[in-house]
Amino acid sequence: MATGVAQQTKFLLDESQLPRRWYNIAADLPTAPPPVLHPGTGQPVGPDDLAPLFPMALIQQEVSEEPEIVIPDEVLSILSLWRPTPLYRAHRLEQALGTRSRIFYKYEGVSPAGSHKPNTAVAQAFYNKQEGRTRLSTETGAGQWGSALSFACRLLGLECKVYMVRISYEQKPSRRSMIQAWGAEIVPSPSTDTAAGRAVLEEHPDSPGSLGIAISEAVEDAAGREDTAYSLGSVLNHVLLHQTVIGQEAIAQMEAAEASPDVVIGCVGGGSNFAGLAFPFLREKIAGREIDVLACEPAACPTLTRGVFAYDFGDTSQLTPLVAMHTLGHDFVPAPIHAGGLRYHGVAPLISQLVRDGLVRAEAYRQNDVFESALAFAGSEGILPAPEAAHAVHGAVTTAKAADEAGEAKTILFNLSGHGHFDMSAYDRYLAGTLEDVALDEEEMARALRAIEGLPTPA
Ligand SMILES: Cc1ncc(COP(=O)(O)O)c(C=O)c1O
């Protein structure tokens, strides 16, 4: 067998190389995002407004402009159960595609919950515990975030209540069991446990649910109890911050591979895995290096490619502060595609700002194309990607093909944010030829966008 980095498949770091700090892109952004507004007063929110929902350490991280924030030892100790994660050179996928490009991927599916989500779950559970909270409430789409938080709560000794989007609750019973195995309580959302859930059920008894609805329920739960804080698995600045261990490791691993990416790719739901990989590379891009940074989203929920940049609520019931972001409207209910974690009407404000500044570009893909690439990947690299992560796989495949057509060879790096072992019903349907390419409901999108017309406009 030939040796040398050009032939090497895995690039591994030693545990001692686990990043000791998170990277905060807020310190380097060319344009600061518009302030988050209090929905009642229309004024920027202050730490006191957020204190009922989040511990002060996370609120401080949310507004911090320090470029780096130290990771507490106890968090590092838990992260070291699976971090640093491997970076692979996808030799076999390259061969299957017959591409001249080099494709690398960072694999986050080796975490106990099977995705990147525990990177922030552990940090959030840690800070909540430190400030005396004993219980966390949260929403989950595909179940990846709910399982990550129930895992983190279990290890740190906190109670956890998960509101799981009903369509995923039904499609993914094993995710539900996993959440319960780590000791959390779980209900399908919309549920009868909250006023927000009951209101939706009254109007739409068969509602498949959405992340926006589930967030409303989890926020209401936390706001109503002293012992409980709310925990969000994406979108917020501090969540994206916690994920930057991914990109920092990847920079060291790409150096070991003697390669430097021309294109960095991630799928985007709320934006946390994309940010985790891309932000440390964007630090270099902002400093002058040329890198194409691509965000991949579903055509059925095309927040970055078709949404408007506007102030909107993060949830359906308008309980959250108003954030300036690309949005499809807070009561837009996306079609029930299998990438449940990408069915969110908004996106992280930091990513919206980077798109507006031209530092990140976005593409939207159809479900069947995404699964075709996922199976090409599984058939060459072996790993069955989560349907969300498969959007990034498809982004990499499309980029490699486009480079070949242009007669170029690129170095492509993407984030394989999780495995799809609990998503096999989606694969079954694809293989049976019954997976639908649910078209975007244009009328529903227009209606949901009209519904936010009266909200403040970002400067
Ligand atoms: C494996 C996987 N990738 C990506 C996502 C999308 O979330 P985010 O955009 O915050 O990374 C999810 C969300 O559930 C997920 O489970």
Side-chain angles (χ1 to χ4, degrees), residues 124-136:
Q124 292 191 43
F126 168 81
Y127 289 116
N128 274 292
K129 182 180 173 183
Q130 206 183 34
E131 293 184 26
R133 247 68 169 240
T134 57
R135 181 176 174 272
L136 296 182

Side-chain angles (χ1 to χ4, degrees), residues 199-322:
V200 176
L201 286 174
E202 218 163 87
E203 240 183 89
H204 307 285
D206 296 327
S207 169
S210 70
L211 277 173
I213 296 168
I215 292 174
S216 297
E217 293 208 86
V219 168
E220 183 185 325
D221 180 316
R225 287 178 62 153
E226 279 279 302
D227 63 349
T228 302
Y230 168 62
S231 177
L232 186 65
S234 191
V235 179
L236 298 177
N237 301 353
H238 68 265
V239 182
L240 276 52
L241 174 83
H242 299 155
Q243 293 292 352
T244 58
V245 287
I246 302 174
Q248 293 180 67
E249 288 175 8
I251 285 177
Q253 288 163 310
M254 290 301 283
E255 272 168 23
E258 295 171 10
S260 159
D262 301 307
V263 194
V264 172
I265 300 174
C267 69
V268 172
S272 72
N273 87 87
F274 170 81
L277 179 68
F279 281 8
F281 287 98
L282 279 159
R283 184 183 209 175
E284 299 181 351
K285 179 167 180 169
I286 293 166
R289 228 193 94 194
E290 214 173 286
I291 313 179
D292 179 19
V293 184
L294 172 62
C296 307
E297 62 183 11
C301 189
T303 314
L304 286 170
T305 50
R306 298 283 313 275
V308 296
F309 181 76
Y311 269 112
D312 196 6
F313 295 96
D315 71 317
T316 309
S317 303
Q318 314 184 2
L319 296 174
T320 69
L322 286 165

Side-chain angles (χ1 to χ4, degrees), residues 154-166:
R154 180 71 198 220
L155 264 67
L156 284 150
L158 301 178
E159 285 177 56
C160 181
K161 167 104 180 239
V162 179
Y163 295 85
M164 183 167 183
V165 175
R166 180 179 298 275

